[in-house]
Amino acid sequence: MTAIFPSLHEFNLNNGLSSTREPIRRTLSKMKGMFHDQAAFEAQLSKGDALLYEFYDMGVPDSEKDVAYGTSITYPGKVGDEYHMTKGHFHTVIDTAEVYYCLRGHGYMMMETPEGETQWLEFLPGKAVYVPGRWAHRSINVHPTEPLVTFFAFPGNAGHDYGTIESKGFRKLMVERDGKPTVIDNPRWNG
Ligand SMILES: O=P(O)(O)OC[C@H]1O[C@](O)(CO)[C@@H](O)[C@@H]1O
Ligand SMILES: [Fe+2]
C-alpha cells in the first residue's frame, strides 16, 4: 500500500480557484458536439477559444477507500440559447455517487440514468446536490454574470465515462426561453 500523508489545500471562497494546485481547463473547442446549436458553436469558436469551465483533480489514489475532491468553476454565458455547462459523465464504476456543494452563483445539476430517468436540481450558495450512483451528471451555469462554483467529492475509484454522453448526449437540455432557464428535450439525443 502506498503511504499517503495528510494534506492541506486552499480553495478561494469567491472564485473557487486553488493557490496550491493547477486546474484542468476546458475551453469551447473541447466541447465540440455538446451544444445543440452547432452553427452558434462554430460562430462563437471562430471568435476565440473561450474558457468554459475548470476543475481540480487533487491526485488522491484511485482506490474506493479514498475520496476525490475539489472545486469546479463554470463560467457564465451561452452557446446560442444553451447555457454554459460541463461535458458531463457517468462514472466508470457506474454505481459510485458524488456530492456537490454550491459556494457561489446560480445553476443546475442535470442528471439522468441509463434507463432514461431524468432529474435536475438547483444550485444556489449553501445548497448541496447528492448524485446517487448510476446517474450521469452535468453542471449548468444559468447566472448572467457570475461563475458557478461548487465543491465536489466522490470515491477515488469512480473514474469518468465521457464516451456515453459524447455519443448520445443528455436527454434534457437547459436553454433560455423568455429570459428564464427552461428544460427542453434534446432535439439531437441519440440513444
Ligand atoms: O468535464 P466534466 O464532465 O465536467 O468532468 C469534470 C467534473 O467532474 C468531476 O470529475 C467530478 O465528477 C469534477 O472534477 C468536475 O466537476
Ligand atoms: Fe462525477
Side-chain angles (χ1 to χ4, degrees), residues 26 53 55-56 72 86-89 91 98 100 137 152 154 160 162:
R26 295 225 215 281
Y53 64 100
F55 59 95
Y56 291 92
S72 175
T86 62
K87 280 178 97 162
H89 55 266
H91 289 160
E98 180 159 357
Y100 285 76
H137 41 287
F152 61 83
F154 59 95
H160 292 78
Y162 287 108

Side-chain angles (χ1 to χ4, degrees), residues 3-138:
I4 174 160
F5 288 91
S7 57
L8 182 65
H9 289 278
E10 184 263 344
F11 297 97
N12 184 291
L13 279 169
N14 186 42
N15 62 23
L17 297 171
S18 176
S19 55
T20 55
R21 196 92 186 166
E22 276 300 304
I24 296 170
R25 298 195 169 96
R26 295 225 215 281
T27 58
L28 197 57
S29 61
K30 306 256 175 56
M31 296 288 283
K32 195 169 171 57
M34 309 304 289
F35 290 97
H36 82 92
D37 187 339
Q38 305 281 292
F41 175 84
E42 293 302 337
Q44 210 151 309
L45 190 56
S46 71
K47 290 189 226 138
D49 196 12
L51 178 62
L52 291 203
Y53 64 100
E54 50 193 322
F55 59 95
Y56 291 92
D57 175 349
M58 303 305 288
V60 307
D62 58 1
S63 127
E64 64 189 291
K65 307 272 170 59
D66 281 281
V67 177
Y69 70 98
T71 50
S72 175
I73 305 114
T74 306
Y75 294 102
K78 283 177 290 170
V79 173
D81 60 3
E82 193 171 3
Y83 295 99
H84 281 181
M85 61 191 187
T86 62
K87 280 178 97 162
H89 55 266
F90 287 94
H91 289 160
T92 313
V93 180
I94 195 168
D95 57 358
T96 52
E98 180 159 357
V99 64
Y100 285 76
Y101 182 63
C102 183
L103 300 171
R104 180 176 174 192
H106 182 204
Y108 287 85
M109 181 64 91
M110 178 60 73
M111 294 167 276
E112 70 176 53
T113 64
E115 292 75 30
E117 296 156 281
T118 57
Q119 174 73 274
W120 49 96
L121 293 173
E122 194 172 26
F123 277 133
L124 283 167
K127 287 192 187 287
V129 172
Y130 184 70
V131 182
R134 299 185 59 76
W135 287 79
H137 41 287
R138 157 183 284 170

